[in-house]
Amino acid sequence: MASIDIENVSKIYPGSTARSVADIALNIKDGEFIVLVGPSGCGKSTLLRMVAGLEDISEGEIRIGTRRVNEVEPAHRDIAMVFQNYALYPHMSVRDNMAYGLKNRAVPRPEIEARVAEAARMLELGPYLDRKPRALSGGQRQRVAMGRAIVRQPAAFLFDEPLSNLDAKLRVSMRTEIRRLQKRLGTTSIYVTHDQLEAMTLADRLVVLNAGRIEQIGTPLEIYHRPASTFVASFIGAPAMNLLDAEIAGNRLRIGDEVLDTPVSGAAGKVTLGIRAEDLMPADRGLSFTPDDIEDLGAQRLVHGFVAGQPLTLVISPATRVEDCRRLAPKPGALHVFDTLSGARLDLHTEHDSRPVLPVGQGL
Amino acid sequence: MTDLSLSPKTPARPSALAALKARLAAPPAAPKRVQFDRPLMPWLLLAPQLAIVAVFFYWPSAQAITSSFYLEDPFGLGSSFVGMANYTDALSSAEYRKIAAFTVFFAAVVAALSLAIGMVLAVKADKVIRGRSAYRTALIAVYAIAPPVAGLIGMMLFDQHIGPLVRFAALFGWDMKVGLDYWDTAIAMIVVAVWLHIPYNFIFILSGLQAIPAAVREAAVIDCASPLRRFLTVVLPLLTPTVFFLTIINLTYALFDTFALIDVMVKDKPANNPMTLVYKVYLDGFRGNDFGGSSAQSVILMVVVLVLTLFQFRYIERRVHYG
Ligand SMILES: Nc1ncnc2c1ncn2[C@@H]1O[C@H](COP(=O)(O)OP(=O)(O)OP(=O)(O)O)[C@@H](O)[C@H]1O
Ligand SMILES: [Mg+2]
């Protein structure tokens, strides 16, 4: 068990001039579960593989515990990795797959057997120990890959989209299981995913990456409630946050011809206004809304429509009638204002906003 | 006559609706199975293939087996039945045993060396071209056209007058006399035979290596610090199907396909030269005109190959991990 410090790390792939990962700084505490999330190609895997030692670190330094690992072989970094396609050794039984890393580290045989037995018990793999991976289902292979990591008792677990090859139901149950195991073992973990539900439910802290850079670091709720940029706002949360072109004029927010009641401080000018779909309520006064399309999801109902000609999505309970949604008012403190050009969050004080303003990137 | 159509007596061009009705009304069709009215048809269909096998395998084999029991007059005037004499003659001859021993040695060394060298080259090439398919295509294309050229060059390397390898050996005071000295000739034969067959091994092992998933190798890199151990415990076991296949191919190559090579090296040379059993069959039969003896030898060879192949499939294949 150990902390992991990533200090200003960049990756420039050979033959390319661009930084696939640019200047990442991240300090991971011992036992913490960090989730790296971001769109495809944003550099999540690259960063994880640099921690694992499967990619060279072009710039910066990575420390596991207090030891600089830039030049350390993957096998000597004391990490275990779980791959997306499991990467089990096809010619070895489940038992040998788990024992392989320990045998190579000259762990005494009785100790190996004990650890494999313990992992098999935890993951309910007992009946399959003598099977080859090809005789297992996807879910079982996934558990073997987990078992192979667990028996090593490493300083850190590295997961690269370990659940993305499973069906939706299995994904949910394995997600809970991974979370439970990680808490029980207390092993520092870095987990890569582009599934935001996985990200929200697993993470102690979330790291949102965009084009090789960190957009925001924070607990899932911090990121949900105070996205640092329009990118994060549209990436985290489903349905995605509504982003509207707006304008500050005379301490009020205007969207086209509509004016919000809430007084805001801040320089006059164009801004981007973010409102989550679930933060809008039918009201007597407020933005006039033209519903266009309805999606019934059972527990809730999504209404797509327009405010001042701009698309907007609304979540209401199935009991609410769409006809009642002609006028909408945001819940208190639910307005997010972003710089139109840079997309960065503008921390304006709105009257109802009573929550303290947290600096971006500060953890729990 | 033979009728292969499914619904025999359908009227010509029924309306689509009628056809649909008929389909729905008909009992569910039994699994499609072609029945032949007469047993002749399958044989007719098989005939071309059978003819090829018969003409090019069974007939010569039968000929060889028959004539191995006869002693043929050297002038082709007649032959007399001699029973097992041709076999006992061959097996009890010191020369035959010496050639047999050399053949075993030659086949084993050529098979092992071309596999080993091909593997080393493939492993090195794999490191360079991993994930770069343009590279791979280029390399394989080069190796695919190389063998005939390599064969010519191989012969030249050991040429008594201009061969650089002969000159190179001379630098160390080794006066190589290919075609005159038994072991000098043997070494030249082995070198050229191995050289000719390395590309074949290279291509197959390279594609075998490329077929191992990158993530499996990466998992091994995390699990095992030593590259050699990794190769032996993860890569090689996953290559066993390829290696097994190549072993059989290499042995067949060393036993049979080196004929031309040996011919070039020992033809018109003094008698004491290494050769393989296949070459001896040719020599006795076509040069010595001893058809009976030559046939007996080829029958022995056939049996040996048969046993070898059965053994390989039965015992070695069990240890092979197919994916
Ligand atoms: N071997 C490589 N050589 C050159 N560029 C690479 C290499 N591997 C990745 N890249 C580039 O680096 C960037 C980050 O890739 P990476 O695989 O880390 O993305 P990712 O966030 O894991 O995406 P995904 O969610 O699709 O797995 C991409 O733009 C990709 O094209
Ligand atoms: Mg990835």
Short mmCIF file of all heavy atoms in Angstrom, two decimals, chain B residues 82-103:
data_model
loop_
_atom_site.label_atom_id
_atom_site.label_comp_id
_atom_site.label_asym_id
_atom_site.label_seq_id
_atom_site.Cartn_x
_atom_site.Cartn_y
_atom_site.Cartn_z
N VAL B 82 13.26 -62.48 -55.19
CA VAL B 82 14.32 -62.79 -54.23
C VAL B 82 13.83 -62.65 -52.79
O VAL B 82 14.60 -62.66 -51.85
CB VAL B 82 15.54 -61.87 -54.43
CG1 VAL B 82 16.22 -62.18 -55.73
CG2 VAL B 82 15.13 -60.41 -54.32
N GLY B 83 12.51 -62.48 -52.59
CA GLY B 83 11.99 -62.38 -51.22
C GLY B 83 12.52 -61.15 -50.52
O GLY B 83 12.58 -60.06 -51.10
N MET B 84 12.94 -61.33 -49.27
CA MET B 84 13.37 -60.20 -48.45
C MET B 84 14.83 -59.83 -48.68
O MET B 84 15.37 -59.00 -47.95
CB MET B 84 13.17 -60.52 -46.97
CG MET B 84 11.73 -60.78 -46.56
SD MET B 84 10.69 -59.30 -46.81
CE MET B 84 11.26 -58.30 -45.47
N ALA B 85 15.46 -60.45 -49.64
CA ALA B 85 16.91 -60.28 -49.80
C ALA B 85 17.32 -58.82 -49.95
O ALA B 85 18.31 -58.38 -49.35
CB ALA B 85 17.40 -61.09 -50.99
N ASN B 86 16.53 -58.05 -50.72
CA ASN B 86 16.87 -56.63 -50.90
C ASN B 86 16.88 -55.89 -49.57
O ASN B 86 17.71 -55.02 -49.33
CB ASN B 86 15.87 -55.97 -51.85
CG ASN B 86 16.12 -56.39 -53.29
OD1 ASN B 86 17.28 -56.62 -53.67
ND2 ASN B 86 15.05 -56.53 -54.05
N TYR B 87 15.92 -56.26 -48.71
CA TYR B 87 15.84 -55.58 -47.41
C TYR B 87 17.01 -55.96 -46.53
O TYR B 87 17.66 -55.11 -45.93
CB TYR B 87 14.53 -55.95 -46.70
CG TYR B 87 13.32 -55.32 -47.36
CD1 TYR B 87 12.61 -56.00 -48.35
CD2 TYR B 87 12.91 -54.04 -47.00
CE1 TYR B 87 11.52 -55.42 -48.97
CE2 TYR B 87 11.82 -53.46 -47.61
CZ TYR B 87 11.12 -54.15 -48.59
OH TYR B 87 10.05 -53.58 -49.18
N THR B 88 17.28 -57.25 -46.45
CA THR B 88 18.37 -57.69 -45.58
C THR B 88 19.70 -57.16 -46.10
O THR B 88 20.53 -56.72 -45.31
CB THR B 88 18.41 -59.23 -45.45
OG1 THR B 88 18.36 -59.76 -46.78
CG2 THR B 88 17.24 -59.75 -44.64
N ASP B 89 19.85 -57.13 -47.40
CA ASP B 89 21.07 -56.56 -47.98
C ASP B 89 21.27 -55.13 -47.52
O ASP B 89 22.33 -54.74 -47.03
CB ASP B 89 21.01 -56.57 -49.52
CG ASP B 89 21.38 -57.94 -50.08
OD1 ASP B 89 21.67 -58.83 -49.24
OD2 ASP B 89 21.35 -58.09 -51.32
N ALA B 90 20.19 -54.34 -47.70
CA ALA B 90 20.29 -52.92 -47.36
C ALA B 90 20.60 -52.75 -45.89
O ALA B 90 21.56 -52.06 -45.51
CB ALA B 90 19.00 -52.20 -47.71
N LEU B 91 19.80 -53.41 -45.03
CA LEU B 91 19.94 -53.18 -43.60
C LEU B 91 21.25 -53.70 -43.04
O LEU B 91 21.74 -53.22 -42.04
CB LEU B 91 18.75 -53.80 -42.86
CG LEU B 91 17.42 -53.08 -43.14
CD1 LEU B 91 16.26 -53.83 -42.50
CD2 LEU B 91 17.48 -51.64 -42.64
N SER B 92 21.82 -54.73 -43.69
CA SER B 92 23.06 -55.27 -43.13
C SER B 92 24.29 -54.59 -43.72
O SER B 92 25.40 -54.81 -43.25
CB SER B 92 23.11 -56.79 -43.38
OG SER B 92 23.08 -57.01 -44.77
N SER B 93 24.05 -53.72 -44.73
CA SER B 93 25.21 -53.07 -45.33
C SER B 93 25.74 -51.96 -44.44
O SER B 93 24.97 -51.13 -43.93
CB SER B 93 24.82 -52.52 -46.71
OG SER B 93 25.30 -51.20 -46.85
N ALA B 94 27.03 -51.95 -44.22
CA ALA B 94 27.65 -50.94 -43.35
C ALA B 94 27.47 -49.55 -43.95
O ALA B 94 27.20 -48.58 -43.24
CB ALA B 94 29.13 -51.24 -43.17
N GLU B 95 27.55 -49.47 -45.26
CA GLU B 95 27.41 -48.19 -45.93
C GLU B 95 26.02 -47.62 -45.71
O GLU B 95 25.84 -46.45 -45.39
CB GLU B 95 27.68 -48.36 -47.44
CG GLU B 95 27.87 -47.04 -48.14
CD GLU B 95 27.46 -47.11 -49.61
OE1 GLU B 95 27.03 -48.18 -50.06
OE2 GLU B 95 27.56 -46.07 -50.27
N TYR B 96 25.00 -48.52 -45.85
CA TYR B 96 23.63 -48.08 -45.67
C TYR B 96 23.43 -47.55 -44.25
O TYR B 96 22.81 -46.52 -44.03
CB TYR B 96 22.66 -49.23 -45.95
CG TYR B 96 21.22 -48.80 -45.89
CD1 TYR B 96 20.62 -48.21 -46.99
CD2 TYR B 96 20.47 -48.96 -44.73
CE1 TYR B 96 19.31 -47.79 -46.94
CE2 TYR B 96 19.16 -48.55 -44.66
CZ TYR B 96 18.58 -47.96 -45.78
OH TYR B 96 17.28 -47.55 -45.72
N ARG B 97 23.99 -48.25 -43.28
CA ARG B 97 23.82 -47.83 -41.90
C ARG B 97 24.49 -46.49 -41.64
O ARG B 97 23.98 -45.64 -40.92
CB ARG B 97 24.40 -48.88 -40.96
CG ARG B 97 23.54 -50.10 -40.90
CD ARG B 97 23.91 -50.91 -39.70
NE ARG B 97 23.47 -52.29 -39.86
CZ ARG B 97 23.99 -53.28 -39.17
NH1 ARG B 97 24.99 -53.03 -38.33
NH2 ARG B 97 23.54 -54.49 -39.32
N LYS B 98 25.62 -46.31 -42.27
CA LYS B 98 26.35 -45.05 -42.09
C LYS B 98 25.53 -43.90 -42.66
O LYS B 98 25.38 -42.84 -42.04
CB LYS B 98 27.70 -45.14 -42.80
CG LYS B 98 28.58 -43.92 -42.55
CD LYS B 98 29.91 -44.08 -43.29
CE LYS B 98 30.68 -42.77 -43.25
NZ LYS B 98 31.83 -42.79 -44.14
N ILE B 99 24.95 -44.14 -43.83
CA ILE B 99 24.14 -43.10 -44.46
C ILE B 99 22.88 -42.83 -43.64
O ILE B 99 22.47 -41.69 -43.46
CB ILE B 99 23.78 -43.48 -45.92
CG1 ILE B 99 25.07 -43.45 -46.75
CG2 ILE B 99 22.75 -42.53 -46.51
CD1 ILE B 99 24.89 -43.92 -48.16
N ALA B 100 22.30 -43.90 -43.09
CA ALA B 100 21.12 -43.73 -42.24
C ALA B 100 21.47 -42.87 -41.04
O ALA B 100 20.73 -41.94 -40.68
CB ALA B 100 20.60 -45.08 -41.79
N ALA B 101 22.61 -43.16 -40.42
CA ALA B 101 23.03 -42.39 -39.24
C ALA B 101 23.24 -40.93 -39.63
O ALA B 101 22.78 -40.01 -38.92
CB ALA B 101 24.32 -42.96 -38.66
N PHE B 102 23.86 -40.70 -40.79
CA PHE B 102 24.08 -39.32 -41.21
C PHE B 102 22.74 -38.63 -41.48
O PHE B 102 22.56 -37.46 -41.15
CB PHE B 102 24.96 -39.25 -42.47
CG PHE B 102 25.15 -37.84 -42.95
CD1 PHE B 102 26.02 -36.99 -42.29
CD2 PHE B 102 24.40 -37.33 -44.01
CE1 PHE B 102 26.17 -35.67 -42.69
CE2 PHE B 102 24.54 -36.02 -44.42
CZ PHE B 102 25.44 -35.19 -43.76
N THR B 103 21.81 -39.37 -42.06
CA THR B 103 20.51 -38.78 -42.37
C THR B 103 19.81 -38.31 -41.10
O THR B 103 19.27 -37.20 -41.04
CB THR B 103 19.62 -39.81 -43.10
OG1 THR B 103 20.33 -40.30 -44.23
CG2 THR B 103 18.32 -39.19 -43.54
#
